[in-house]
Amino acid sequence: MAVDPRARTSNRTIGQMVVVGVIASAIGVAWGLYIDWFPIQGSSQAKKIDELWDVLLIIAVPVFVMVVVVILFAVRDYRQRPGEELLDGPNVHGSTRLEIIWTTIPAVVIFVLVGYAATILSDIEEAPANAAQELKIDVTGEQFAWTFKYKGADGKDVNTTRLYLPKGRSVKFNVRSKDVIHDFWIPEMRMKVDAVPGIVTSYRITPIREGNYPVVCAELCGLGHSVMRQTAYVQSADKFDAWLAKQSAPAPAAAPAEGGGAAPAAAIDAKKLFTDGNGESIACGSCHQLADAGTPAGGVGPNLDMVLAGQSADMIKESIVEPEKVATKGFPPGVMPPNYGETLKPEELDALVEYLVTSTKK
Amino acid sequence: MLSAVRQPGWTRAMAFSAIGVAFTYALSVGARAGFDYKPFLDGEAVLQIGLISVPFFFMVGLGLFDYWGYWMSGKPTRPEDHSGHGAKNWKSYFYPNTDHKVIGVQYVVHSFFYLFVGGLFAMLIRAELAQPGRQFLDANTYNGVFSVHASLLIFLFIIPVFAGLANYVLPLMIGAPDMAFPRLNALSFWLLPIAGVMMLSSFFAPGGSFASGWTAYAPLSNSAPIGQVFFTIGVQFAGASSIATALNFLVTIITMRAPGMSFFRMPLLVWANFATSLLVVIATPFIAASQFFILLDRALGFNFFDNGQGGDVLMYQHVFWFYSHPAVYIMILPGFGIISEVLAVKARKPIFGYRMMAFSLLAIVVLGFTVWAHHMFVSGMQNWIRVPMMITTAIIAVPTGIKVFSWLATLWRGVLKLDTPMLFALGFITMFTLGGISGVMLAMIPLTIHVSDTYFIVAHIHYVLFGGSLFTVYAGVYYWFPKMTGRMYDEKLGKIHFWLTFVFFNVTFAPMHLIGVDGMPRRVADYADKYAEWNLAISIASFALGLSTLIFAYNMIASWRGGPRAVGNPWRALTLEWQVTSPPPVFNFDAIPTVVGGPYEYGVPGAVHGVFADEEKAAPVAAGAGAGATATAGSGGAPSLEKPSAPDHD
Amino acid sequence: MEAAAIHAAHGHDHHGPPEANRSSRVEPQMLGMLLFIISEIMVFGAFFTAYFFIRIVDQDNSWFPLDGVELPKLIAGINTAILLSSSLTLHWAQTCAKNGNRAGLKVGMLTTFLLGLTFLFIQVNEYIHVGFAPHDHAQGSIFYGLTGLHGAHVFIGLTLLLIVTIRAYRGHFTPEEHGGVEIPGIYWHFVDVMWIVVYTSIYIL
Ligand code: HEA
Ligand code: HEA
Ligand code: CUA
Ligand SMILES: [Cu+2]
């Protein structure tokens, strides 16, 4: 046999491969870093996580490029050419040295990465220096809405479906669930945790930008999972404090006396019921747009200004108590909670219906 | 007619199933009346009992237990006549058969049916997601569609198709005439259609199909409509099938290797299935148990997951992932084996670092049991579990890396024949590396906290399962197609299939990384407008990906029917399955070969892996007996040769 | 007809398969049973995981006696003794099978079967009188879950024993060939050992 033309593999091929590999990796890394992967950085935690991502890209791209480049060069230099149908490669069985190299190098890379990730993890979960300063919010998920509970200035609970957050202050969420597993996530803040029935889970963030961000349920929780969306409003610390103070100001009917019947029906603030619920019922405003109450568009349920215009009180009442019975076209049945008949007191229900009739009449 | 009912077969299976239904009603009503539950006739109770019991009636009717029935009752069993062994014509594939080659084909074809069904569901998913908002699937159907998509592709495609390919080639590769327990093998196969039909028919259940994802987390699955039970019970059948096959593989590999076939002379496919089977035997009982818990909670009011009564919701996830993480290796290790076979043959070189290849498989098996909680980084479990799990998870990159690098080194200086199996093998290495790297990223807890339950995960899933497992399946099916069918496939169509699949696979799934990191959650029928463009692009590419699969289907069907005849060893491979005719004789070998060297000694002129005893010398025993067989019933003597005594039923 | 078809399809002599090479000293049936037992142990492992979570991880759960209900340790203890003695009688039956003592084999198998049946009977009786139901609390669920799972295995074991007994009465098994007694026997011993673990963790600890 003549000199095997394939023995031309040589340092030159390997040299070329290294050059191509380095260039391709550099381009790949540069491109990867250039891409705007994440949503806005809304919290100090987001900065750290995005930094970890960059490090991961810088390691991942060269590994992938290396594998691809070796394959492409092998195909270029060693593919079977006409006349080589019966040729075999050299009977090489291995090389202990190479095998040691490609066991240890990835192992070292992995350990470095893991160590780095662990420090980032402890950074993003670290409690603030001034623990007393930290704002604690109880978050409760249920099919298919979130409710939030703050401690008001006077120590009373403030229940709401709108999540207000102060900029620059560490916030700790204690997350619970009333039914199945949900997951409390604000993509702009990067952190998430499951809301698990029976236990309290938590995480903390420090918002660093004002703005409105989506609150997303990230664990499959049933029919309404894809529409279990609310909004987080990040405000300056002053504005936030003012808001909280207003919430906890003892509005006469805000917290109906436990005695129940004692509170006269006239005192029920139906608008507040609509926007915030009564502590037990999920607020209508978390799903429905209503101009008078100022609840936003884009919710899960129909825009009540439009669908309720000119509807009778009885019909509205029925839609609330038995939402299954009159499914609205284009909206998912079974999403609106079927239990308003129980969670709302009869007089609250009447007030709410009354309010809806008047506020949608044009 | 009556004789048809007494004969094992489809008529009897249907008759028995009908009896099963009657039995179910009787049991359900009887039990409820006995315990004084009102109403006596309860649809859900009947359905739950029926889903468990009717399949057994069906299988008994089909004749899967006949032999054991005789044996158990101490009656003389019919001497083995091999009448249920080997395919006579295409109809044989629709009956229980004990020939591992027939069972292998049954497995593979049946699994591919579910690839198409599962893929069709994927097309529905993509059609719905092409635009934000709701198009034509309501929330319930959408949740059902992706749950069934994943369940079918995992439990009825990837896992069984590997079992099927190995079923066909593994006994041949180790020089065994069949699997260790041929009847158990037949039973393993027939459990699968039951599981498949059950999962598919869940769409007809009141309240729709099961819709809590393939993970079926409690308590959602506990309170879901009755369709959920079709998953709960269907998985039991698929799982039982896996365990039975794995047990069969292990016993076959350990006790039936040809003389000279030491463990380190086994082809890597055999090693891979050895490793996989260990995983299956040890891990699969956990998913069975997790679904027992759900069933007990649902049907009998147990409180495993009812936190109000002291149950523990997270326990489900621990038990589920203790199976389902190993399951992802169950879905890739056999593929590693296929790639090793294809690469050695197509690069004409021995596998580089054979021993490390075998050991790294075992390392993955061991490590695979220590990482389950990486699926639970945001589940709210105890915080301290996370970092240890992050470490073990990331370490799996090391043995996997050894495999990838050894494959690359195998290519180096080989003579690469770039035909379809090889293209898929090379495509696999690149795509799996990408999917594996995104896996390592997911192991990094701070990142997972953000991307868990987003499309980044969906991207990872499909890079490892489609770019990984499915590419190896394609490689394997093309590679063994000549052996299994005796025909050659169309090379040109094969290459077109590869390139279309490779390109559209990437266009479909690569952008999912982007939208995932950008915050698009998974398992949603509706999404924010900012993801609209990418989703449209993904959907269009996915349709092209789906269509490219039709080329594969056409190639397989047309070539099977009319492709050119294949010679015994078209690839000039050394492993034993290529040393017999294509397709192999009914009993694989006339005499068991003797293994004299490694399986991949390419580059050594004249090297062989196994030698076959001289036909003339080996023949007399067999041939002599064969001649006598026509007249007398075999009595004693090793291979018993009685003529089938069963009456014809044509 | 079948044979003819095979001829037609494959043009191959219809003869049996070549004898497989035996590459291990372990009997295939024995190995199969051992592997099956491994996967059975894992099923129990999953149920013990549930037990672990409900009893230990959830710290606000207490264990029996619960709501004043005491588990019948003593009766269950006696039952344990019954089950354990069945392992002994089984061993005796197996020894008889090896030595060709057919009468011993028959009596041994029958006693073993009856002892197993007694165990199951007492267990069911315990369910009736224990004083709580699986749907009362998670502890009840895990009690019924684990003992019920074990009971199901006793049932499977009894079925195997019944088969062996029937075959023994029909004159099967010889000193040379008694794998059919050995292998179900291993399963029965496994069921016994498993009961000790279940009994200890549920009733005693
Ligand atoms: C075939 C299936 C398969 C395979 C092989 C893998 C392999 C891996 N997977 Fe994946 N995984 C899935 C299928 C699979 N996965 C599925 C289906 C899910 C989602 C389940 C659900 O929720 O529905 C999932 C989810 C999943 C998660 C959970 C994410 C979440 O839900 O929050 C994580 C987290 O750690 C993870 C990690 C890994 C890792 C580290 C590997 C490793 O084994 C990969 C190792 C391979 C390599 C790394 C590439 C080759 C190596 C080299 C070239 C060496 C050099 C490399 C480096 C130094 C980095 N996977
Ligand atoms: C082996 C496993 C496997 C395979 C092969 C696939 C294949 C595909 N998968 Fe799947 N997928 C999973 C396993 C798999 N998937 C898993 C485990 C999940 C997680 C589920 C969960 O969250 O519980 C998932 C989830 C999942 C989602 C996320 C759903 C969600 O979270 O809301 C999406 C979305 O795009 C998707 C798409 C696809 C597509 C487009 C394909 C394509 O590759 C399919 C290609 C199509 C075919 C092979 C069909 C053959 C073609 C025809 C029949 C004719 C063509 C017809 C037309 C063009 C109309 N998959
Ligand atoms: Cu709540 Cu998803
Ligand atoms: Cu995993």
Side-chain angles (χ1 to χ4, degrees):
Chain A
M1 205 202 289
V3 179
D4 179 1
R6 315 183 135 260
R8 65 183 123 86
T9 16
S10 55
N11 298 339
R12 212 183 49 162
T13 313
I14 295 182
Q16 284 174 357
M17 240 166 53
V18 172
V19 173
V20 173
V22 170
I23 295 175
S25 304
I27 296 175
V29 170
W31 189 44
L33 296 180
Y34 168 76
I35 295 178
D36 187 14
W37 293 88
F38 286 91
I40 290 165
Q41 275 183 353
S43 69
S44 57
Q45 281 73 10
K47 282 187 177 161
K48 302 262 184 214
I49 291 179
D50 298 4
E51 192 183 302
L52 171 66
W53 172 256
D54 289 345
V55 172
L56 288 174
L57 273 185
I58 292 171
I59 292 173
V61 171
V63 174
F64 178 62
V65 166
M66 177 181 63
V67 171
V68 174
V69 166
V70 172
I71 289 187
L72 290 181
F73 272 83
V75 168
R76 188 195 76 174
D77 284 5
Y78 305 118
R79 87 176 166 273
Q80 186 192 83
R81 296 195 166 71
E84 295 182 339
E85 281 78 10
L86 294 179
L87 197 65
D88 275 4
N91 186 262
V92 176
H93 282 265
S95 147
T96 312
R97 196 165 56 104
L98 270 181
E99 282 165 35
I100 291 176
I101 291 176
W102 68 49
T103 311
T104 31
I105 293 184
V108 171
V109 172
I110 288 297
F111 275 103
V112 172
L113 266 186
V114 165
Y116 175 60
T119 55
I120 299 252
L121 180 65
S122 70
D123 284 355
I124 60 177
E125 295 190 334
E126 198 176 57
N130 186 349
Q133 260 289 323
E134 190 167 58
L135 175 67
K136 294 200 175 56
I137 303 178
D138 284 324
V139 179
T140 305
E142 67 190 289
Q143 285 168 331
F144 299 96
W146 299 102
T147 45
F148 307 96
K149 195 167 86 183
Y150 297 74
K151 269 266 171 292
D154 51 358
K156 277 223 188 74
D157 289 346
V158 174
N159 283 303
T160 162
T161 57
R162 307 178 111 201
L163 176 61
Y164 285 91
L165 297 171
K167 184 184 150 189
R169 208 171 132 191
S170 175
V171 181
K172 182 167 186 194
F173 298 108
N174 288 316
V175 185
R176 295 176 175 79
S177 167
K178 281 192 188 166
D179 37 44
V180 300
I181 303 177
H182 304 270
D183 190 295
F184 179 62
W185 183 36
I186 307 167
E188 278 73 6
M189 308 293 173
R190 306 291 187 271
M191 302 293 285
K192 69 158 76 75
V193 77
D194 280 4
V196 185
I199 62 176
V200 185
T201 57
S202 67
Y203 65 80
R204 50 168 57 90
I205 56 170
T206 309
I208 55 173
R209 276 178 79 114
E210 291 178 29
N212 301 347
Y213 307 111
V215 174
V216 175
C217 174
E219 180 66 60
L220 180 62
C221 52
L223 289 181
H225 165 61
S226 56
V227 290
M228 188 163 162
R229 301 277 181 276
Q230 267 148 264
T231 308
Y233 306 89
V234 181
Q235 304 178 323
S236 67
D238 295 344
K239 264 195 180 162
F240 172 81
D241 289 339
W243 170 81
L244 191 59
K246 199 174 116 216
Q247 296 301 305
S248 41
E258 295 297 294
I268 294 175
D269 181 352
K271 189 164 162 183
K272 191 161 166 46
L273 214 49
F274 190 90
T275 52
D276 294 345
N278 67 1
E280 205 184 337
S281 70
I282 307 181
C284 324
S286 47
C287 299
H288 291 287
Q289 177 176 13
L290 186 70
D292 188 70
T295 53
V300 184
N303 176 345
L304 293 183
D305 289 319
M306 304 207 338
V307 293
L308 294 191
Q311 298 273 21
S312 73
D314 283 351
M315 146 64 204
I316 295 181
K317 189 166 178 178
E318 195 182 54
S319 311
I320 300 174
V321 181
E322 293 176 88
E324 299 281 308
K325 223 167 162 184
V326 272
T328 314
K329 252 195 109 161
F331 289 90
V335 168
M336 176 158 161
N339 60 350
Y340 280 117
E342 296 118 55
T343 54
L344 292 171
K345 297 194 190 69
E347 61 273 16
E348 286 176 331
L349 188 59
D350 289 339
L352 192 60
V353 171
E354 163 88 46
Y355 168 71
L356 286 174
V357 171
T358 47
S359 66
T360 59
K361 204 180 293 165
K362 286 282 142 61
Chain B
M1 178 60 209
L2 195 66
S3 76
V5 175
R6 285 172 54 192
Q7 276 286 319
W10 280 95
T11 323
R12 198 177 81 174
M14 289 304 141
F16 271 52
S17 303
I19 299 175
V21 173
F23 166 82
T24 302
Y25 272 94
L27 184 65
S28 166
V29 172
R32 291 181 74 89
F35 287 102
D36 215 21
Y37 286 163
K38 298 275 168 22
F40 292 159
L41 184 62
D42 177 77
E44 296 213 353
V46 171
L47 202 55
Q48 286 172 347
I49 299 176
L51 286 176
I52 298 171
S53 65
V54 175
F56 284 97
F57 281 88
F58 170 79
M59 288 189 290
V60 172
L62 202 55
L64 287 161
F65 296 107
D66 279 25
Y67 180 89
W68 290 324
Y70 282 108
W71 177 83
M72 288 193 303
S73 55
K75 292 209 185 102
T77 49
R78 277 182 302 151
E80 186 54 85
D81 59 10
H82 306 295
S83 61
H85 194 98
K88 288 143 212 133
N89 51 38
W90 63 271
K91 282 188 205 140
S92 306
Y93 289 95
F94 293 88
Y95 289 90
N97 200 296
T98 50
D99 181 356
H100 73 97
K101 299 185 289 303
V102 176
I103 296 174
V105 172
Q106 286 176 325
Y107 256 105
V108 173
V109 173
H110 179 262
S111 311
F112 267 98
F113 170 75
Y114 280 100
L115 169 67
F116 280 84
V117 178
L120 219 48
F121 282 118
M123 299 295 105
L124 286 180
I125 298 178
R126 286 319 318 175
E128 170 63 39
L129 293 180
Q131 284 169 26
R134 210 165 293 275
Q135 276 81 48
F136 48 87
L137 297 181
D138 61 57
N140 195 24
T141 317
Y142 181 83
N143 291 354
V145 164
F146 74 73
S147 305
V148 178
H149 162 71
S151 308
L152 290 181
L153 284 167
I154 287 178
F155 296 112
L156 285 141
F157 175 58
I158 294 286
I159 294 178
V161 80
F162 280 137
L165 283 171
N167 226 309
Y168 198 100
V169 296
L170 191 143
L172 286 160
M173 276 185 162
I174 63 172
D178 204 318
M179 297 277 275
F181 306 118
R183 283 181 211 89
L184 184 65
N185 205 11
L187 177 64
S188 316
F189 168 72
W190 284 96
L191 289 166
L192 285 175
I194 293 170
V197 168
M198 208 178 273
M199 287 189 186
L200 271 181
S201 57
S202 70
F203 280 100
F204 300 111
S209 71
F210 56 94
S212 42
W214 80 281
T215 49
Y217 277 7
L220 184 61
S221 50
N222 251 348
S223 51
I226 186 75
Q228 185 65 41
V229 175
F230 288 73
F231 175 82
T232 310
I233 297 174
V235 163
Q236 304 288 12
F237 285 98
S241 161
S242 290
I243 295 181
T245 313
L247 190 150
N248 221 336
F249 279 146
L250 285 173
V251 176
T252 309
I253 295 171
I254 293 175
T255 66
M256 291 173 76
R257 279 166 291 126
M261 176 76 85
S262 63
F263 261 76
F264 286 106
R265 278 182 181 167
M266 293 192 316
L268 283 169
L269 181 89
V270 181
W271 266 106
N273 277 285
F274 184 76
T276 309
S277 301
L278 284 175
L279 280 172
V280 172
V281 166
I282 299 173
T284 311
F286 264 67
I287 196 177
S290 73
Q291 301 310 313
F292 279 139
F293 296 153
I294 298 279
L295 195 63
L296 289 172
D297 267 21
R298 291 187 63 111
L300 300 176
F302 280 49
N303 300 309
F304 285 111
F305 307 119
D306 182 346
N307 64 290
Q309 304 274 25
D312 191 315
V313 172
L314 287 182
M315 185 265 285
Y316 177 86
Q317 294 173 36
H318 283 288
V319 174
F320 179 84
W321 288 115
F322 192 78
Y323 162 73
S324 288
H325 181 79
V328 310
Y329 296 116
I330 293 170
M331 292 186 273
I332 199 73
L333 297 189
F336 288 174
I338 293 174
I339 295 305
S340 297
E341 297 303 317
V342 173
L343 277 191
V345 172
K346 300 289 173 188
R348 313 299 311 159
K349 263 187 73 196
I351 286 290
F352 197 91
Y354 170 94
R355 275 181 190 244
M356 284 306 279
M357 288 297 247
F359 287 133
S360 59
L361 286 168
L362 297 180
I364 294 174
V365 169
V366 174
L367 283 170
F369 284 111
T370 64
V371 304
W372 74 92
H374 67 214
H375 295 274
M376 301 172 63
F377 284 151
V378 297
S379 69
M381 65 177 177
Q382 285 79 352
N383 279 341
W384 62 265
I385 309 178
R386 295 176 306 171
V387 172
M389 288 285 169
M390 161 165 77
I391 298 172
T392 47
T393 303
I395 289 178
I396 296 196
V398 175
T400 320
I402 294 177
K403 300 200 75 78
V404 170
F405 297 131
S406 304
W407 285 323
L408 294 183
T410 307
L411 294 178
W412 204 246
R413 300 190 56 197
V415 183
L416 313 188
K417 177 139 178 62
L418 296 174
D419 55 3
T420 313
M422 183 63 159
L423 287 175
F424 272 106
L426 299 180
F428 157 81
I429 299 179
T430 54
M431 293 301 98
F432 177 73
T433 302
L434 213 162
I437 290 174
S438 67
V440 173
M441 291 177 159
L442 286 175
M444 302 299 141
I445 303 164
L447 182 69
T448 308
I449 291 177
H450 176 61
V451 297
S452 184
D453 280 312
T454 66
Y455 264 72
F456 193 82
I457 309 290
V458 179
H460 167 69
I461 295 179
H462 291 91
Y463 267 89
V464 287
L465 276 171
F466 194 121
S469 315
L470 184 48
F471 273 34
T472 70
V473 172
Y474 281 141
V477 167
Y478 281 112
Y479 178 69
W480 282 297
F481 186 83
K483 184 55 58 187
M484 295 172 80
T485 63
R487 307 262 184 180
M488 296 304 283
Y489 61 87
D490 185 326
E491 191 61 60
K492 199 156 171 201
L493 286 180
K495 283 183 179 153
I496 296 176
H497 171 223
F498 169 76
W499 283 110
L500 290 178
T501 304
F502 187 80
V503 169
F504 287 113
F505 163 74
N506 277 295
V507 183
T508 305
F509 295 109
M512 288 186 183
H513 294 107
L514 266 164
I515 55 176
V517 176
D518 199 20
M520 177 167 162
R522 65 191 277 205
R523 295 173 166 177
V524 292
D526 187 6
Y527 50 86
D529 290 342
K530 67 169 171 169
Y531 311 116
E533 281 100 19
W534 274 123
N535 271 295
L536 184 60
I538 290 172
S539 291
I540 294 172
S542 76
F543 298 143
L545 179 61
L547 289 177
S548 74
T549 315
L550 295 181
I551 301 177
F552 167 77
Y554 171 78
N555 192 359
M556 291 296 111
I557 295 171
S559 306
W560 199 338
R561 296 181 53 174
R565 296 264 173 211
V567 295
N569 191 358
W571 314 131
R572 297 190 297 124
L574 289 179
T575 42
L576 294 178
E577 83 272 25
W578 295 106
Q579 313 312 320
V580 293
T581 53
S582 297
V586 205
F587 295 114
N588 294 356
F589 306 102
D590 289 327
I592 300 297
T594 303
V595 173
V596 294
Y600 306 118
E601 292 301 334
Y602 301 103
V604 178
V608 286
H609 173 44
V611 291
F612 287 79
D614 186 343
E615 286 279 312
E616 292 307 308
K617 264 192 277 164
V621 189
T630 38
T632 52
S635 52
S640 156
L641 301 158
E642 194 203 19
K643 246 200 122 198
S645 52
D648 288 355
H649 50 269
D650 280 12
Chain C
M1 167 242 137
E2 279 92 342
I6 289 178
H7 275 284
H10 294 281
H12 193 281
D13 273 344
H14 177 230
H15 61 72
E19 185 85 56
N21 180 49
R22 283 287 293 279
S23 52
S24 162
R25 264 171 303 155
V26 191
E27 284 278 326
Q29 281 81 1
M30 181 70 87
L31 186 61
M33 181 51 90
L34 290 177
L35 289 167
F36 181 61
I37 288 176
I38 290 179
S39 81
E40 291 278 47
I41 290 175
M42 294 310 289
V43 178
F44 276 95
F47 275 74
F48 275 110
T49 310
Y51 164 86
F52 174 78
F53 271 86
I54 287 166
R55 181 165 176 185
I56 297 172
V57 178
D58 290 354
Q59 287 175 346
D60 37 331
N61 278 351
S62 50
W63 193 244
F64 298 99
L66 201 68
D67 304 339
V69 175
E70 187 82 66
L71 290 180
K73 278 185 196 171
L74 185 65
I75 299 181
I78 296 171
N79 217 7
T80 311
I82 294 177
L83 196 61
L84 287 187
S85 59
S86 78
S87 255
L88 292 180
T89 56
L90 178 66
H91 185 75
W92 179 61
Q94 287 173 337
T95 319
C96 294
K98 257 178 240 168
N99 300 336
N101 176 354
R102 179 155 299 278
L105 169 66
K106 284 186 195 167
V107 174
M109 285 314 303
L110 198 62
T111 335
T112 314
F113 178 78
L114 290 178
L115 283 172
L117 205 60
T118 317
F119 173 87
L120 210 53
F121 179 76
I122 296 181
Q123 190 70 38
V124 171
N125 195 47
E126 181 178 318
Y127 283 175
I128 296 170
H129 297 291
V130 74
F132 59 87
H135 47 80
D136 288 346
H137 35 60
Q139 291 88 330
S141 304
I142 196 64
F143 169 84
Y144 280 94
L146 262 174
T147 54
L149 180 73
H150 183 267
H153 283 79
V154 175
F155 183 78
I156 301 173
L158 279 177
T159 317
L160 294 180
L161 291 183
L162 185 65
I163 295 167
V164 178
T165 314
I166 293 176
R167 292 182 65 201
Y169 274 83
R170 291 203 183 210
H172 291 219
F173 309 123
T174 56
E176 294 77 41
E177 217 185 294
H178 53 271
V181 195
E182 286 302 315
I183 292 165
I186 302 178
Y187 190 80
W188 188 252
H189 290 315
F190 153 73
V191 170
D192 276 10
V193 172
M194 214 62 230
W195 173 252
I196 297 179
V197 182
V198 173
Y199 178 68
T200 319
S201 46
I202 295 273
Y203 293 83
I204 310 239
L205 290 181

